[in-house]
Amino acid sequence: MQIARQVYGIVTAENGLCFTKDGQTVYITKRFDILPDGTKVEMEDFAALVGRNEQTDGTYFKYSGCYEDIARCIRRTIPAWMVDMERFFELVVFNYIYANGDAHLKNFSIIRQGEDYRLAPAYDLLNTSLHVISDDFGLDGALSPDIEKSGVYDRTDHPCRLDFERFGAQIGLPDIRVKRVLDKYMVIPELAMKLIGNCFLNDKMKRKYLRIVDERVKRFVRKSE
């Protein structure tokens, strides 16, 4: 969460760590759907918006679908959809590079701001590959079944930059905005490495974290033949 916010400028929920008397680490986050006066702000996740639920789609309903499903909902429900589509696109890229295999439908939401809806701040961003063997994406349909895979994707079963370029075009983003987002992820920024180095993971887990992200970046920058 801090890497997303501090390094990439992604809008996230306020968050931090605190410690219990016996030294246990506790993650805390501030709810952004409740105003200071206690008023509850209208908010809905994309599982509901795309019509997925346990009764009709089974236990793992929130992992069903693809990220283009979310993009279609953004375009349909958010008047300023182009701005929030770029925010959503970067979240998809960030989750891939930082190995968040739990980026499912319920971990993206819209929230009411004034008379309109906007993409909610990002939440539940984490490197799941530190703890479990996870897929590249949190949805079983990945980016979209309607996009031709790059040669790299076909050969290695992992996407590269070209696949995200095609995804960006598919969801309606201009090439210049797609490029602006993707250029940020061609290397691991020094500040990201510093934050990982200063975190509360043990040294072995810090090295694993960096190895995972480094491998994702190397996949990302591969060229299709």
Side-chain angles (χ1 to χ4, degrees):
M1 291 286 287
Q2 291 297 324
I3 290 172
R5 183 166 188 158
Q6 294 188 43
V7 178
Y8 297 100
I10 293 172
V11 179
T12 68
E14 299 285 352
N15 63 89
L17 294 176
C18 61
F19 299 88
T20 64
K21 291 181 179 179
D22 58 359
Q24 293 295 310
T25 307
V26 179
Y27 174 76
I28 57 173
T29 186
K30 182 179 180 180
R31 292 188 62 164
F32 49 78
D33 61 334
I34 297 179
L35 300 179
D37 64 2
T39 303
K40 182 76 165 60
V41 181
E42 294 178 39
M43 178 172 161
E44 192 63 83
D45 64 55
F46 279 95
L49 291 169
V50 304
R52 300 284 200 307
N53 58 68
E54 188 170 0
Q55 288 69 39
T56 60
D57 300 283
T59 304
Y60 301 103
F61 70 95
K62 63 186 179 181
Y63 299 101
S64 176
C66 65
Y67 291 107
E68 190 179 2
D69 293 336
I70 295 178
R72 291 192 193 102
C73 280
I74 290 174
R75 199 161 184 163
R76 188 174 68 244
T77 59
I78 298 177
W81 68 267
M82 182 68 78
V83 175
D84 282 352
M85 192 71 79
E86 185 173 343
R87 289 175 56 203
F88 167 68
F89 176 68
E90 179 159 10
L91 270 177
V92 174
V93 178
F94 177 87
N95 282 325
Y96 173 66
I97 296 295
Y98 285 87
N100 181 10
D102 202 43
H104 53 68
L105 293 172
K106 292 184 75 64
N107 275 341
F108 298 88
S109 296
I110 61 172
I111 189 166
R112 191 176 185 88
Q113 292 185 358
E115 297 301 315
D116 297 323
Y117 284 92
R118 298 296 306 273
L119 189 68
Y123 53 93
D124 288 357
L125 304 179
L126 67 161
N127 184 333
T128 58
S129 291
L130 280 173
H131 310 289
V132 296
I133 298 173
S134 58
D135 295 330
D136 286 342
F137 299 104
L139 294 178
D140 55 18
L143 297 172
S144 170
D146 299 326
I147 302 174
E148 180 185 1
K149 289 184 176 180
S150 68
V152 169
Y153 206 164
D154 267 335
R155 187 173 67 254
T156 67
D157 206 31
H158 301 298
C160 66
R161 175 172 174 145
L162 178 58
D163 296 289
F164 289 95
E165 289 174 350
R166 290 174 175 173
F167 175 65
Q170 182 84 356
I171 63 177
L173 289 175
D175 291 346
I176 190 170
R177 294 195 178 193
V178 171
K179 182 179 185 300
R180 182 168 58 195
V181 170
L182 298 182
D183 284 351
K184 298 189 216 175
Y185 295 87
M186 298 295 286
V187 297
I188 307 175
E190 184 177 342
L191 179 55
M193 292 189 285
K194 182 178 180 180
L195 288 172
I196 294 169
N198 290 340
C199 76
F200 291 96
L201 295 171
N202 62 40
D203 288 343
K204 181 179 179 180
M205 293 295 279
K206 290 178 185 178
R207 291 193 296 270
K208 183 177 180 180
Y209 197 123
L210 283 171
R211 281 199 308 271
I212 290 168
V213 178
D214 182 61
E215 174 57 31
R216 293 294 180 102
V217 170
K218 288 177 179 174
R219 293 179 190 172
F220 183 70
V221 300
R222 286 174 183 156
K223 298 283 188 180
S224 285
E225 298 175 358

